[in-house]
C-alpha cells in the first residue's frame, strides 16, 4: 500500500479545527487531528508546507518508522506545533491500519480492558445556585464525574465559568478561544481565589454528598506554595483531582506541593512529549497524565508515555475539551479502552455544526464513553459541510494581575 495524497482541511463549524486526511492507492483513507487552539494555522502550514510532501509514496503501515522520521528528520524537535503535526499523521496512519485490518482501533491496540470509559463533564457557576443547577444538569446528561469551576468575588472573568459572556457574545463554556482580532484580557487574584474555593467545595459536598467524583482545574495560576495550600484546604472534600495547580515547566516545583497535600494531582495538557513528565513521573509527583493524543505526537507516543506512567501506578486523564476535534477525541477513546492504567476521560461535548462536519461512531451513555465498533477510528469528515465553515481568527484570553502584571491564564 502506498500513500497517494494527504490533504489538510481547516474548518470552523463551532470553532476552528485542523484535520489531516491521508489517502492510499487501495482507496483506504485515515484522519488525524492537528488542532492547536489559537494557533491552528501554524500546524496547518507545518503539515501542508513541510510534512505532506514527505508522505507521498510512503508505506502507510510503517507507523513507527514514519513517526521517528518526522520527529528526527525535522532536526528541530518537540514543541506544540511539531508534536500536533506529527500526531495528525500518526493517528491517520493508525486509522488506515485498523481499517485495513477490518477492526476498530482499540482491537489493534490490544483489545478492550474495560466495558466503558468513565467521563467527566464541566459544571460551573457564577454563584452556588447556578453551580448546583449546572451539576444537576450534567448528572441528568448522564455524567457520573463532575469538574467544578466557579466565579470568584472580586475577579471579573474566570476560566471555565460557562455563564459569563465572552467578547463575541457566545456562552463562555462553548469555547474559551474567542473569535476576535485580538485576545481578550482577563483579570486574576490568587489570594481571592484561595479564600473562596474551599467554601465552594464544602457547599457542593453538602449538597451532593461524599461519593460524587469532583475535579477542579487550577489552570496553571498558583505558585507551588499556593498550590500546596489549596491542595491541603481541599483535602476534606476528597477531590478526584486538582489539575494544573502550578505551571510545571519546572517539574521540581511539584515536590513542594507533594510535601504538603494528599489531594491527587493531574498535569500535562500543555505538555508535548514524555520528556516534559520525566521528573513528575519518576518522583511520583503526579497521579494523572493529562496530555491529549493530538498534542503529544499521536497514539504511538501517548502509548509509550502511558506505559512509562504505568510503572509508577500513574493513570491516564486524557485532555478532552472542545478544541480537541472529534477525530482527536476518538483516538483518545480507543487508547482509553485498551490501556490498563486508565483513570478518567474529559468529555466536553461538541456543538451541532461540529457533529455535522465530523460523523462519529463513539457514544456516551450513563456516564461512560465507548469508541464504537466501526473499523478504524470511527470518524468520517463531511468535506462539503466542512467547506461551509471557513476559518475564523480566534484567540484564547490572557490574564493580568490587579497591578497590571501578565499572569498565567
Ligand atoms: C482546560 C482546557 O479542559 C481543560 O482542562 O484546561 O479547556 C483549556 O483551557 C483549553 O483546552 C485551551 O485551549
Ligand atoms: Mg485543564
Amino acid at each position: 500500500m502506498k500513500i497517494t495524497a494527504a490533504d489538510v482541511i481547516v474548518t470552523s463549524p463551532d470553532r476552528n479545527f485542523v484535520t489531516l486526511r491521508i489517502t492510499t492507492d487501495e482507496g483506504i483513507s485515515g484522519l488525524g487531528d492537528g488542532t492547536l487552539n489559537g494557533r491552528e494555522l501554524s500546524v496547518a502550514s507545518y503539515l501542508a508546507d513541510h510534512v505532506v510532501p514527505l508522505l507521498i509514496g510512503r508505506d502507510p503501515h510503517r507507523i513507527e518508522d514514519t513517526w521517528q522520521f518526522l520527529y528526527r528528520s525535522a532536526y528541530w524537535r518537540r514543541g506544540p506545533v511539531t508534536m500536533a503535526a506529527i500526531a495528525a499523521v500518526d493517528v491517520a496512519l493508525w486509522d488506515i491500519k485498523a481499517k485495513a485490518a477490518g477492526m476498530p482501533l482499540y482491537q489493534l491496540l490490544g483489545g478492550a480492558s474495560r466495558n466503558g470509559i468513565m467521563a467527566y463533564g464541566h459544571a460551573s457557576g457564577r454563584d452556588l445556585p447556578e453551580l448546583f443547577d449546572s451539576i444537576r444538569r450534567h448528572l441528568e446528561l448522564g455524567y457520573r464525574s463532575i469538574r467544578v469551576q466557579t466565579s470568584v468575588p472580586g475577579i471579573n472573568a474566570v476560566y471555565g465559568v460557562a455563564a459569563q459572556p465572552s467578547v463575541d457574545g457566545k456562552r463562555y463554556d462553548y469555547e474559551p478561544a474567542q473569535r476576535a482580532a485580538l485576545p481578550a484580557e482577563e483579570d486574576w487574584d490568587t489570594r481571592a481565589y484561595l479564600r473562596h474555593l474551599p467554601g465552594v467545595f464544602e457547599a457542593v459536598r453538602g449538597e451532593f454528598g461524599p461519593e460524587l467524583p469532583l475535579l477542579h482545574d487550577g489552570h496553571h495560576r498558583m505558585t507551588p506554595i499556593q498550590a500546596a495550600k489549596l491542595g491541603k484546604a481541599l483535602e476534606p472534600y476528597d477531590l478526584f483531582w486538582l489539575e494544573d495547580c502550578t505551571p510545571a515547566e519546572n517539574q521540581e516545583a511539584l515536590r513542594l506541593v507533594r510535601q504538603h497535600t494528599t489531594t491527587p494531582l493531574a498535569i500535562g495538557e500543555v505538555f508535548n512529549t514524555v520528556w516534559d513528565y520525566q521528573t513528575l513521573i519518576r518522583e511520583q509527583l503526579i497521579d494523572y497524565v493529562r496530555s491529549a493524543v493530538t498534542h503529544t505526537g499521536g497514539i504511538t507516543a501517548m502509548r509509550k508515555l502511558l506505559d512509562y506512567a504505568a510503572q509508577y501506578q500513574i493513570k491516564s486523564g486524557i485532555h478532552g475539551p472542545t478544541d480537541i476535534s472529534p477525530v482527536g477525541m476518538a483516538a483518545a477513546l480507543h487508547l482509553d479502552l485498551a490501556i490498563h492504567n486508565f483513570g478518567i476521560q474529559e468529555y466536553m461535548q461538541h456543538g451541532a455544526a461540529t457533529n455535522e462536519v465530523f460523523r462519529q461512531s463513539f457514544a456516551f451513555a450513563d456516564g461512560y464513553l465507548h469508541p464504537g465498533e466501526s473499523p478504524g477510528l470511527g470518524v468520517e469528515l463531511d468535506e462539503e459541510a466542512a467547506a461551509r465553515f471557513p476559518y475564523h481568527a480566534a484567540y484564547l484570553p490572557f490574564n493580568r494581575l490587579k497591578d497590571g502584571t501578565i499572569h498565567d491564564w
Side-chain angles (χ1 to χ4, degrees):
M1 196 190 287
K2 289 258 176 293
I3 295 175
T4 50
D7 303 297
V8 180
I9 299 145
V10 179
T11 180
S12 195
D14 300 297
R15 51 143 297 112
N16 298 322
F17 295 114
V18 174
T19 306
L20 178 71
R21 187 186 52 231
I22 294 179
T23 306
T24 67
D25 57 358
E26 294 184 13
I28 300 178
S29 67
L31 296 178
D33 178 26
T35 305
L36 189 63
N37 209 3
R39 298 291 184 272
E40 293 88 354
L41 297 183
S42 61
V43 181
S45 162
Y46 191 107
L47 284 167
D49 300 329
H50 303 294
V51 170
V52 165
L54 307 178
L55 298 176
I56 308 305
R58 289 186 71 88
D59 175 354
H61 281 299
R62 300 182 63 179
I63 301 179
E64 180 71 32
D65 181 66
T66 299
W67 196 97
Q68 297 297 342
F69 171 62
L70 293 176
Y71 185 72
R72 296 173 194 279
S73 74
Y75 193 63
W76 313 108
R77 301 179 182 189
R78 304 169 68 178
V81 175
T82 299
M83 300 317 288
I86 294 177
V89 175
D90 184 78
V91 170
L93 296 180
W94 278 106
D95 192 14
I96 289 169
K97 189 181 275 289
K99 283 177 178 169
M103 60 178 76
L105 178 52
Y106 76 84
Q107 290 291 13
L108 214 52
L109 297 173
S113 291
R114 53 200 54 80
N115 306 321
I117 296 159
M118 170 60 83
Y120 74 88
H122 289 192
S124 66
R126 288 168 293 185
D127 54 34
L128 286 179
E130 194 171 85
L131 173 62
F132 290 175
D133 285 350
S134 177
I135 294 173
R136 286 192 196 95
R137 206 167 45 248
H138 280 80
L139 293 174
E140 281 154 21
L141 284 170
Y143 286 98
R144 295 288 170 268
S145 301
I146 306 281
R147 188 188 81 168
V148 167
Q149 306 289 136
T150 72
S151 291
V152 176
I155 301 180
N156 299 319
V158 176
Y159 163 76
V161 180
Q164 64 192 22
S166 60
V167 287
D168 56 6
K170 280 203 171 173
R171 278 179 54 105
Y172 194 96
D173 74 330
Y174 208 86
E175 172 48 55
Q178 300 158 33
R179 290 175 170 170
L182 293 172
E185 179 175 327
E186 298 186 348
D187 57 336
W188 181 250
D189 178 346
T190 309
R191 289 173 54 77
Y193 165 74
L194 292 177
R195 281 194 301 274
H196 182 65
L197 202 70
V200 171
F201 276 92
E202 182 181 17
V204 171
R205 280 290 177 226
E207 182 75 14
F208 295 94
E211 289 172 18
L212 181 63
L214 297 176
L215 303 85
H216 179 71
D217 194 340
H219 225 257
H220 326 273
R221 292 164 186 222
M222 291 167 272
T223 63
I225 199 65
Q226 291 169 332
K229 184 174 176 168
L230 181 64
K232 204 172 177 63
L234 294 177
E235 282 173 10
Y237 313 114
D238 185 28
L239 266 65
F240 184 94
W241 80 33
L242 172 59
E243 175 187 342
D244 284 329
C245 59
T246 190
E249 289 99 324
N250 168 18
Q251 299 178 44
E252 295 166 4
L254 273 298
R255 288 180 187 151
L256 187 63
V257 183
R258 220 30 161 188
Q259 274 168 24
H260 291 280
T261 181
T262 57
T263 293
L265 302 175
I267 281 185
E269 71 180 47
V270 296
F271 288 172
N272 317 109
T273 70
V274 64
W275 313 110
D276 300 319
Y277 285 95
Q278 262 198 317
T279 305
L280 294 174
I281 291 177
R282 199 181 52 237
E283 294 187 16
Q284 218 79 58
L285 299 176
I286 59 171
D287 305 287
Y288 297 92
V289 164
R290 277 288 283 149
S291 275
V293 173
T294 298
H295 298 144
T296 315
I299 296 255
T300 299
M302 269 294 273
R303 205 163 53 156
K304 293 175 186 175
L305 166 59
L306 290 170
D307 285 347
Y308 175 47
Q311 311 316 313
Y312 296 83
Q313 301 181 50
I314 293 170
K315 297 187 172 185
S316 71
I318 296 181
H319 192 211
T322 43
D323 48 289
I324 298 291
S325 87
V327 175
M329 176 58 78
L333 298 182
H334 284 281
L335 202 52
D336 283 333
L337 200 63
I339 58 173
H340 179 253
N341 57 326
F342 169 77
I344 199 166
Q345 171 67 50
E346 178 178 16
Y347 182 44
M348 233 180 129
Q349 303 196 17
H350 289 105
T354 299
N355 295 337
E356 191 192 327
V357 172
F358 297 95
R359 292 192 300 280
Q360 305 141 41
S361 303
F362 63 76
F364 177 61
D366 200 21
Y368 292 87
L369 284 158
H370 192 283
E373 300 302 337
S374 307
L377 278 174
V379 180
E380 293 307 331
L381 185 145
D382 179 331
E383 201 153 346
E384 266 175 42
R388 282 193 283 109
F389 302 102
Y391 170 80
H392 270 271
Y395 286 97
L396 286 165
F398 71 99
N399 261 343
R400 283 193 187 278
L401 302 177
K402 296 252 179 290
D403 69 1
T405 308
I406 284 280
H407 191 68
D408 303 286
W409 177 78

